[in-house]
């Protein structure tokens, strides 16, 4: 089965290629089908609604089964912000957003820096418009600075997963995917993808 990965974020694309590598799916990028400039908005207040909206739009535009996710970082000291608005928090670059987050947390005690990434992955069927969902989280905390490691993307440079003393950026892609919100969401969808591939 062909599966369109509906993201223009190269970090997410790399992670999907790694996580889905073991399945007999042909992963198709937006560029492969000439849809690289089709930006779908995220108008809803929940991850699931945004993920489904994007997956349906990409399935309709391509005629292929399409996968899209919506994800965010929820920080306890900020009452769950930036959450579903993580992509629109602070300035235009990952670094701007990380600096803003660290600034907001500057006066917070250790215990208040706990946080989690959430991800909802949606896969849409191009004929029926039906959507299947996978949900994943990973617990951790926001560190005290931007870590120097260059792996990952987004808030990886400030997020320290539970059980580790380094940020996500310092972990290999395989290790990050084995515990990340996106990896967990995808693993919960694997039986659904296997079924789709055989129908
Ligand atoms: P969206 O899911 O494309 O709306 O992205 C939400 C925001 O969360 C973006 O700013 C991403 O960079 C960030 N984000 C999503 N997943 C991750 C991740 O695995 N690591 C770091 N940041 C992430």
């Amino acid at each position: 089965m062909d599966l369109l990965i509906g993201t223009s974020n190269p970090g997410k694309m790399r992670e999907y290629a790694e996580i889905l590598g073991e399945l007999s799916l042909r992963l198709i990028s937006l560029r492969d089908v000439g849809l690289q400039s089709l930006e779908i908005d995220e108008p809803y207040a929940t991850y699931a609604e945004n993920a489904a909206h994007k997956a349906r739009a990409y399935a309709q535009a391509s005629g292929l089964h399409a996968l899209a996710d919506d994800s965010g970082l929820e920080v306890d000291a900020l009452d769950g912000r930036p959450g579903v608005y993580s992509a629109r928090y602070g300035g235009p670059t990952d670094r701007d957003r990380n600096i803003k987050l660290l600034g907001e947390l500057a006066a917070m005690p250790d215990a208040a820096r706990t946080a989690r990434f959430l991800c909802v992955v949606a896969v849409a069927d191009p004929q029926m418009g039906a959507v299947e969902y996978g949900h994943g989280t990973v617990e951790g905390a926001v560190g005290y600075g931007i870590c120097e490691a260059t792996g990952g993307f987004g808030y990886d440079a400030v997020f320290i997963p539970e059980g580790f003393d380094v940020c996500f950026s310092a972990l290999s892609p395989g290790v990050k995917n084995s515990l990340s919100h996106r990896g967990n969401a995808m693993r919960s969808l694997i039986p659904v993808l296997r079924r789709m591939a055989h129908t």
Side-chain angles (χ1 to χ4, degrees):
M1 183 180 91
D2 287 348
L3 180 66
L4 178 69
I5 306 298
T7 183
S8 49
N9 178 329
K12 285 189 184 181
M13 189 69 203
R14 275 194 301 275
E15 292 186 4
Y16 280 118
E18 222 256 356
I19 296 165
L20 293 170
E22 66 184 70
L23 299 183
S24 52
L25 293 169
R26 199 154 64 106
L27 301 188
I28 311 286
S29 69
L30 292 174
R31 181 169 293 281
D32 291 335
V33 288
L35 293 177
Q36 63 276 12
S37 24
L38 178 63
E39 280 287 339
I40 312 293
D41 56 354
E42 296 180 345
Y44 299 106
T46 68
Y47 300 104
E49 286 172 297
N50 285 329
H53 173 68
K54 291 193 286 186
R56 281 204 182 96
Y58 285 125
Q60 206 167 40
S62 64
L64 300 172
H65 281 84
L67 173 157
D69 79 36
D70 193 26
S71 41
L73 179 65
E74 304 199 341
V75 182
D76 290 328
L78 304 178
D79 297 324
R81 281 188 297 113
V84 74
Y85 304 109
S86 291
R88 287 154 279 169
Y89 169 82
T93 69
D94 286 340
R95 191 175 168 81
D96 294 334
R97 291 189 273 272
N98 285 326
I99 287 171
K100 178 174 161 84
L101 182 61
L102 292 172
E104 286 205 284
L105 292 178
M108 302 285 181
D110 278 3
R113 303 179 79 96
T114 48
R116 65 210 50 79
F117 274 116
L118 283 88
C119 177
V120 177
V121 183
V123 177
D125 176 314
Q127 263 87 46
M128 320 296 287
V131 172
E132 302 267 10
Y133 296 92
H135 297 256
T137 62
V138 57
E139 295 288 332
V142 177
Y144 288 93
I146 296 180
C147 85
E148 279 174 19
T150 54
F153 66 97
Y155 299 98
D156 281 351
V158 295
F159 182 80
I160 301 170
E162 211 168 76
F164 289 77
D165 55 12
V166 293
C167 69
F168 255 168
S169 305
L171 301 180
S172 70
V175 173
K176 179 186 170 188
N177 291 335
S178 72
L179 57 126
S180 78
H181 50 314
R182 190 162 297 101
N184 289 333
M186 274 319 304
R187 277 182 283 278
S188 75
L189 254 184
I190 283 178
V192 172
L193 290 173
R194 285 195 204 280
R195 199 182 67 229
M196 282 177 172
H198 291 103
T199 49

